[in-house]
Amino acid sequence: MQKIILMSEIRSYPDQLDAGMVSYLEEGQVETYESFPTFDLLAFDWYDIQDPEAPPAQIILYLNKEDLFLLCENEAARTAAETCFESGPDNWESAYRFFRSLLLGNIRHLDALEAQVAELDDDVADGIEEGLQERLIDMRNVVLRLKKYYEGLEFLMECVCENEPSRIPPDRKPSFVILHSRTVRLVSQINSIREYLTSVRESYQGQ
């Protein structure tokens, strides 16, 4: 079975999600990758990159040989999961396709964000004052939010790739190595943007 559900619905599937595991999940202690004798948990905080005001929501992937559940903290996370999900020939391939889709377009989003920082830089150089301080503060919040998001995904992919012994099928492991490389690039890019923004803010404060 492959299913996307709300976290509040996990007790509706007793044949697939045993009571002990459900109780463990309800404690809210799962934050990244955890491997158990018969299943794996991949947890991360999802951020809507298009809505900087939206709070993060946790998504947990539960995988065993037979089942894959995407457990979502709220409706927004479930909608995002449904949008990104693509069933594959096995559960690990389906998980890979989900994360691949989740990361699709994020580089372009950061390129656009960097262009916005460049506009702020130009406005500082031109001596524009109206609303600039607020725009700088808003941009700082956006950048720090994305930094936290991408660092969480990068750490998750690192844990998945480095876990030994791994239940990831050998022919699926390279796909997750690729995902890890993509998250490393996202972290590097958002850190570069943060440094650029810091330089812009320092120039503004020095005026």
Side-chain angles (χ1 to χ4, degrees), residues 3-6 59-62 68-72 81-82 85 98:
K3 196 82 173 173
I4 300 172
I5 64 173
L6 292 173
I59 298 177
I60 301 176
L61 281 71
Y62 166 88
L68 167 61
F69 279 80
L70 277 73
L71 313 173
C72 306
E82 290 172 343
F85 188 77
F98 165 73

Side-chain angles (χ1 to χ4, degrees), residues 4-22:
I4 300 172
I5 64 173
L6 292 173
M7 187 71 70
S8 59
E9 300 173 328
I10 56 178
R11 291 195 176 272
S12 300
Y13 298 86
D15 293 338
Q16 292 79 27
L17 304 172
D18 69 80
M21 191 275 291
V22 167

Side-chain angles (χ1 to χ4, degrees), residues 13 41 67 98 108 116 154 164:
Y13 298 86
L41 298 173
D67 303 307
F98 165 73
R108 289 193 298 274
Q116 293 177 41
E154 192 273 331
E164 295 296 342

Side-chain angles (χ1 to χ4, degrees), residues 18-45:
D18 69 80
M21 191 275 291
V22 167
S23 296
Y24 179 69
L25 288 173
E26 288 177 336
E27 292 175 1
Q29 300 299 315
V30 183
E31 295 182 349
T32 182
Y33 176 67
E34 296 188 16
S35 183
F36 295 85
T38 59
F39 64 90
D40 293 276
L41 298 173
L42 285 70
F44 67 100
D45 286 336

Side-chain angles (χ1 to χ4, degrees), residues 14-129:
D15 293 338
Q16 292 79 27
L17 304 172
D18 69 80
M21 191 275 291
V22 167
S23 296
Y24 179 69
L25 288 173
E26 288 177 336
E27 292 175 1
Q29 300 299 315
V30 183
E31 295 182 349
T32 182
Y33 176 67
E34 296 188 16
S35 183
F36 295 85
T38 59
F39 64 90
D40 293 276
L41 298 173
L42 285 70
F44 67 100
D45 286 336
W46 168 76
Y47 289 75
D48 185 348
I49 65 173
Q50 303 298 335
D51 183 1
E53 300 298 324
Q58 190 177 55
I59 298 177
I60 301 176
L61 281 71
Y62 166 88
L63 299 93
N64 62 22
K65 288 184 177 180
E66 294 80 23
D67 303 307
L68 167 61
F69 279 80
L70 277 73
L71 313 173
C72 306
E73 184 177 355
N74 59 27
E75 287 288 356
R78 177 159 70 174
T79 298
E82 290 172 343
T83 300
C84 294
F85 188 77
E86 177 187 349
S87 182
D90 59 68
N91 289 332
W92 279 104
E93 174 65 17
S94 296
Y96 160 70
R97 294 181 182 184
F98 165 73
F99 282 109
R100 179 186 63 186
S101 180
L102 187 72
L103 297 176
L104 184 65
N106 280 247
I107 291 294
R108 289 193 298 274
H109 182 77
L110 291 185
D111 288 341
L113 191 67
E114 187 171 8
Q116 293 177 41
V117 175
E119 291 178 4
L120 290 169
D121 194 9
D122 290 341
D123 289 347
V124 170
D126 293 341
I128 296 175
E129 287 289 339

Side-chain angles (χ1 to χ4, degrees), residues 141-156:
N141 292 336
V142 168
V143 169
L144 291 178
R145 179 176 181 272
L146 290 176
K147 182 176 185 293
K148 188 173 183 179
Y149 181 36
Y150 294 134
E151 285 178 343
L153 285 171
E154 192 273 331
F155 182 69
L156 172 61

